[in-house]
């Protein structure tokens, strides 16, 4: 069966073309350009050696100039100068309600005495909020066993993309 487009109604085709162009100009340009930023976080994980028995909580707040009407975004948190370091938060607004999900959450993993890595730096998924253009969350700097109990220091950077 062949596709047939009736071009006899030129006015209708013109209106359709105008509607497509308006959609591209008003929506696709927003999606294409969006809001993007990369910054080094001021909060740092502190290193400790010996018998550190408590996790360290690192509070992070990022000012994002995006109204709640934006469609969705991705926030990538990484350790500076560390390979395979990424915590990724996918977020969106549903009827002006902020929603999110963490798709990957490992800022630092170390091999201890076991044959599998322990993830020792990660984002606490229960602390993610977005209010008054401020995205907040906590990074956890956990302990690991390696010739004693340690926490790892580190600096973090973040980039976000909102479409």
């Amino acid at each position: 069966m062949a596709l047939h487009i009736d071009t006899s109604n030129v006015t209708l085709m013109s209106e359709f073309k105008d509607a497509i162009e308006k959609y591209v100009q008003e929506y696709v340009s927003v999606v294409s350009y969006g809001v993007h930023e990369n910054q080094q976080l001021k909060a740092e994980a502190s290193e400790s050696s010996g018998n550190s028995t408590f996790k360290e909580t690192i509070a992070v707040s990022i000012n994002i100039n995006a109204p709640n009407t934006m469609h969705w975004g991705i926030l990538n948190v990484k350790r500076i100068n560390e390979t395979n370091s990424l915590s990724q938060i996918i977020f969106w607004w549903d009827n002006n309600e902020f929603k999110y999900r963490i798709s990957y959450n490992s800022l630092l993993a170390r091999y201890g005495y076991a044959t599998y890595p322990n993830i020792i730096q990660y984002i606490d998924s229960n602390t993610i909020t977005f209010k008054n253009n401020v995205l907040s969350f906590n990074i956890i700097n956990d302990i690991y066993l390696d010739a004693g109990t340690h926490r790892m220091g580190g600096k973090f950077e973040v980039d976000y993309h909102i479409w």
Side-chain angles (χ1 to χ4, degrees), residues 46-54 141 143-144 149-153:
S46 60
E47 187 171 343
S48 64
S49 59
N51 285 327
S52 299
T53 56
F54 298 103
N141 188 14
I143 58 175
Y144 74 102
T149 305
H150 293 10
R151 281 196 315 257
M152 296 294 293

Side-chain angles (χ1 to χ4, degrees), residues 62-124:
I62 303 166
N63 189 18
I64 298 178
N65 294 318
N68 291 345
T69 57
M70 292 301 236
H71 301 284
W72 60 280
I74 296 174
L75 181 108
N76 298 307
V77 181
K78 305 171 197 167
R79 281 176 53 94
I80 295 174
N81 300 324
E82 183 79 28
T83 57
N84 299 324
S85 165
L86 176 64
S87 287
Q88 186 174 70
I89 303 169
I90 298 170
F91 56 94
W92 65 96
W93 286 269
D94 184 6
N95 294 325
N96 289 332
E97 182 182 347
F98 177 75
K99 296 189 176 185
Y100 67 90
R101 146 178 110 74
I102 296 181
S103 64
Y104 190 73
N105 196 5
S106 177
L107 293 170
L108 183 64
R110 284 288 187 258
Y111 286 89
Y113 297 112
T115 58
Y116 58 90
N118 296 317
I119 296 176
I120 61 172
Q121 288 181 345
Y122 55 93
I123 291 178
D124 182 350

Side-chain angles (χ1 to χ4, degrees), residues 16-80:
F16 180 71
K17 178 181 173 284
D18 292 344
I20 294 294
E21 288 176 353
K22 181 178 177 184
Y23 175 80
V24 168
Q25 290 171 357
E26 292 182 3
Y27 178 74
V28 176
S29 63
V30 171
V31 171
S32 299
Y33 300 109
V35 178
H36 310 281
E37 188 172 327
N38 185 329
Q39 61 181 284
Q40 183 173 332
L41 298 179
K42 295 177 183 175
E44 295 183 25
S46 60
E47 187 171 343
S48 64
S49 59
N51 285 327
S52 299
T53 56
F54 298 103
K55 299 176 183 180
E56 177 183 25
T57 300
I58 304 154
V60 175
S61 293
I62 303 166
N63 189 18
I64 298 178
N65 294 318
N68 291 345
T69 57
M70 292 301 236
H71 301 284
W72 60 280
I74 296 174
L75 181 108
N76 298 307
V77 181
K78 305 171 197 167
R79 281 176 53 94
I80 295 174

